[in-house]
Amino acid sequence: MTKIAVVALGGNALTRAGQAGTYDEMTANAAAMATAVSDVLDAGWRVVIVHGNGPQVGNLALQQEAALRHEASAMVPVQPLAVLGAMTQGLLGSLLARSIDLLRGRGTAAALVTHVIVDPADPAFGVPSKPIGPFFEPAEAQRLARRGGWVVQPDSGRGYRRVVASPHPAGVIEIDALRALVDAGHLVIAAGGGGIPVLAADTCRPVDAVIDKDRAACLIAGQLGAQALLLVTAVDRVMLDYGTPQQSSLGTITAGEAARHLAEGQFPPGSMGPKIEAALRFLDEGGELAVVTSPALLAATLGGRGEPAGTRIERVGAPARTEPASPAPVTPAPVTPAPVTPAPVTSAPVTPAPVTRAVTQTGPAR
């Protein structure tokens, strides 16, 4: 039985720390990720990649700000944040697909523009929390915040970044097309940047937000009936008591052990916390295995092939999920939303509480 693995890849893996995000830099980084994913394909898995876009969408937003500042917006209209997210899906999807095809053959990979439904009443719209764009020194960050109406917060001890709303994903518009591509044997790149956020009642109306890619990957994995969720990060293993003399790494653990460590505060919200939460939700909903590791150890950790390997979180005490039957190839009927005009989302001005800079396990892999 062919199994499905959903790989959650951070935008920082495509624009690394200290890089400007040039095309050549992103191309080289995509090639490195393609090699890691190719090893998973060699092990007999079908693969879906969900990538983040924090650095890339933030850079596009800065370009939009520059157009306004230089009064060039009449020639180059400023676009909504959700539309910038769609642009990054095309850019990063293309880079990853071409890199994979170079290794596996032309037409192996398909990049799918993906819209993800969010709830307009999600409290996240009132409390921006998702970092995007480059890091700034405190004074520069505050200047940009005053000028652009941004909310800025410290991130990973590396400086300040702009933060935007990050609502929970509730559904995937193109899930049937995604499933058909996987069943046909393609590696699919989907929900780039967590997906383009839209409202259920009006899927043509963009929502200014950035969905967390780990949450989107968890949702897609569940809807596809995937057996494994692979969360790629900058470290080989999840750590306990990080940065202390008692620091230790985790190899293979159960979902119950991971949940206990999370409750004890071992995994900070701005670092490893979202990955562990996504892993636990995936396992709770029927997945078999969640992996948290670096690209180089991805296939070895998935296969459980001794040392060196990353962190494996296993579900214990419940029947394994079986692969869903493959539907006959059909052309999905067009989705026609009901003619409902949703109430406008009005976020009251929120002044975020001061953020205490915490010691984190790794830079953000968003």
Side-chain angles (χ1 to χ4, degrees), residues 10-346:
N12 282 341
L14 297 168
T15 300
R16 295 178 180 173
Q19 293 185 335
T22 66
Y23 178 80
D24 288 342
E25 288 171 342
M26 291 189 291
T27 298
N29 295 335
M33 281 308 310
T35 299
V37 172
S38 182
D39 292 340
V40 176
L41 292 170
D42 283 339
W45 291 77
R46 292 181 179 177
V47 174
V48 174
I49 296 177
V50 176
H51 64 79
N53 70 346
Q56 297 82 18
V57 76
N59 285 350
L60 284 176
L62 283 174
Q63 289 182 338
Q64 305 288 303
E65 293 285 335
L68 283 174
R69 187 166 63 252
H70 296 292
E71 298 182 351
S73 57
M75 294 181 290
V76 184
V78 174
Q79 303 295 333
L81 181 62
V83 174
L84 303 184
M87 293 179 186
T88 65
Q89 283 197 7
L91 166 64
L92 300 179
S94 174
L95 288 174
L96 288 166
R98 298 288 67 75
S99 296
I100 291 161
D101 281 4
L102 282 173
L103 295 176
R104 309 291 306 191
R106 184 178 298 177
T108 298
L112 180 65
V113 174
T114 314
H115 301 81
V116 174
I117 296 170
V118 298
D119 183 353
D122 192 313
F125 285 109
V127 187
S129 62
K130 178 69 175 175
I132 64 171
F135 291 84
F136 299 101
E137 292 298 321
E140 177 68 2
Q142 295 300 328
R143 185 184 69 81
L144 290 170
R146 287 192 299 270
R147 189 186 69 200
W150 295 359
V151 177
V152 296
Q153 292 180 1
D155 183 20
S156 305
R158 296 165 56 194
Y160 280 70
R161 295 175 80 187
R162 180 186 178 185
V163 291
V164 298
S166 184
H168 283 259
V172 179
I173 297 292
E174 294 84 5
I175 190 63
D176 289 340
L178 173 52
R179 184 179 293 109
L181 287 167
V182 172
D183 289 343
H186 293 284
L187 180 150
V188 186
I189 302 149
I196 305 162
V198 296
L199 301 177
D202 184 358
T203 56
C204 291
R205 177 183 177 185
V207 178
D208 273 354
V210 174
I211 299 168
D212 182 81
K213 61 96 181 40
D214 293 327
R215 292 173 178 167
C218 176
L219 175 65
I220 286 175
Q223 293 189 336
L224 290 179
Q227 286 74 30
L229 177 63
L230 314 182
L231 302 159
V232 180
T233 186
V235 296
D236 291 341
R237 285 187 171 187
V238 178
M239 296 287 185
L240 295 180
D241 301 313
Y242 181 76
T244 73
Q246 293 76 37
Q247 175 177 305
S248 61
S249 65
L250 295 173
T252 298
I253 60 174
T254 66
E257 290 170 326
R260 185 178 73 251
H261 293 316
L262 180 65
E264 292 170 350
Q266 287 283 351
F267 312 127
S271 177
M272 197 60 69
K275 299 184 187 308
I276 301 301
E277 290 171 356
L280 290 174
R281 181 167 184 174
F282 169 68
L283 296 173
D284 185 59
E285 294 177 350
E288 297 175 17
L289 172 68
V291 164
V292 184
T293 192
S294 60
L297 298 182
L298 198 59
T301 308
L302 177 61
R305 299 197 299 269
E307 301 289 344
T311 299
R312 290 169 54 95
I313 307 175
E314 298 178 345
R315 184 167 62 95
V316 177
R321 171 185 280 160
T322 58
E323 185 176 17
S326 299
V330 295
T331 302
V335 177
T336 304
V340 176
T341 302
V345 179
T346 304

